Amino acid sequence: GNVALEMLNRFECSEWKPRFHATVYAFIWDWNEPMHTGIDPLVYKSYRLGLAAGDFESAMLAAYQYCFKLFYFAPLEKLANESAVLLNQMKVYKHDIWFPYLSIILQVSHNLSGRSENTKVLTGQAMDEEEALESEIATKHPRLQMAIHFYGLVLGYTFNDYERALDSAERGSELKKTKISTFNQCVLVFYEGLAAIALARKNRNNKRERNERSIFRCMY
């Protein structure tokens, strides 16, 4: 990531700046540096520069990744407001690549703040979980399916539905076979371990085999 940024500065390729910064701070930065340090560069060096230069693809990628990072750091109200504004902007620019991903984050913010009928299911004002999983774009893009199952795991654990959490974790784990490398995979393993431990404590000897399988998967 740093090598790419150094090359960009050395050759002064201004037209490539939004794309370079979006790629580095969206897909590389979090593996080597604290996640929150990549938020401002996404906004100022990719999103805004991309809009100004007409590179809407890079700008929208940066917009999604900005909200993705806010999920881990920002208050829910800010996450919901920023996601709603940027989602509407994606509609204006008719950008459908990152639209379903950002819809998930907006719906998660609604669920966590109690603004959805069923807080454990990603269905509400922003999206419908069942329709999203059955959609053509989800069929073609395992990364989108994994995102839905990941946030389903988080919601299941947060609202004490550990069975649902582990169901989402198992479905998400199946998608690891696609060799998709995302930061959420690490967090998925973490939450799956928490859900497995919580369910083991709750049920004691019941469903012990499933709990052990989940914990084993988290370890390896």
Side-chain angles (χ1 to χ4, degrees):
N2 288 326
V3 173
L5 295 176
E6 289 177 7
M7 291 181 63
L8 179 65
N9 294 329
R10 180 180 300 178
F11 295 104
E12 299 182 355
C13 303
S14 58
E15 68 274 17
W16 287 96
K17 284 186 176 181
R19 187 175 298 270
F20 262 74
H21 286 117
T23 302
V24 169
Y25 291 106
F27 301 118
I28 302 174
W29 193 259
D30 297 342
W31 296 107
N32 302 290
E33 304 292 341
M35 181 185 285
H36 70 276
T37 61
I39 291 179
D40 284 348
L42 277 171
V43 174
Y44 297 105
K45 296 182 179 181
S46 182
Y47 171 71
R48 293 186 178 181
L49 284 180
L51 289 180
D55 186 353
F56 300 122
E57 182 178 350
S58 297
M60 295 301 103
L61 166 59
Y64 162 70
Q65 284 291 328
Y66 165 66
C67 293
F68 169 80
K69 296 178 192 299
L70 286 185
F71 171 76
Y72 292 100
F73 300 105
L76 287 175
E77 183 177 359
K78 179 177 181 179
L79 175 63
N81 291 338
E82 295 287 280
S83 298
V85 169
L86 293 171
L87 198 62
N88 185 63
Q89 194 170 57
M90 288 184 180
K91 289 182 181 178
V92 171
Y93 289 109
K94 298 180 180 180
H95 187 84
D96 59 356
I97 297 176
W98 297 106
F99 184 88
Y101 293 90
L102 189 53
S103 298
I104 296 172
I105 292 181
L106 178 57
Q107 187 59 52
V108 170
S109 70
H110 288 173
N111 285 39
L112 291 174
S113 57
R115 295 166 58 185
S116 58
E117 184 174 347
N118 187 340
T119 55
K120 294 173 285 189
V121 179
L122 286 166
T123 297
Q125 296 179 2
M127 65 174 287
D128 184 293
E129 181 177 316
E130 185 174 347
E131 290 182 2
L133 285 171
E134 295 176 354
S135 66
E136 182 178 356
I137 187 172
T139 303
K140 294 181 178 179
H141 298 277
R143 188 189 296 267
L144 179 59
Q145 298 178 49
M146 184 171 183
I148 294 172
H149 294 315
F150 164 73
Y151 289 107
L153 164 62
V154 173
L155 292 174
Y157 177 77
T158 301
F159 293 108
N160 303 321
D161 189 342
Y162 306 125
E163 286 280 1
R164 176 176 173 79
L166 290 180
D167 283 340
S168 296
E170 289 178 358
R171 294 177 184 178
S173 295
E174 282 295 311
L175 296 172
K176 291 179 182 178
K177 298 176 182 178
T178 62
K179 305 301 181 182
I180 295 174
S181 178
T182 68
F183 184 82
N184 274 355
Q185 281 191 350
C186 300
V187 187
L188 184 148
V189 171
F190 174 72
Y191 269 95
E192 182 179 9
L194 291 179
I197 293 171
L199 189 62
R201 289 178 174 175
K202 179 180 179 181
N203 295 334
R204 296 300 179 182
N205 295 326
N206 294 334
K207 301 178 182 176
R208 179 178 176 181
E209 181 181 349
R210 183 183 188 185
N211 297 334
E212 290 177 347
R213 186 170 65 248
S214 297
I215 294 173
F216 180 84
R217 188 166 51 239
C218 294
M219 294 173 62
Y220 298 96

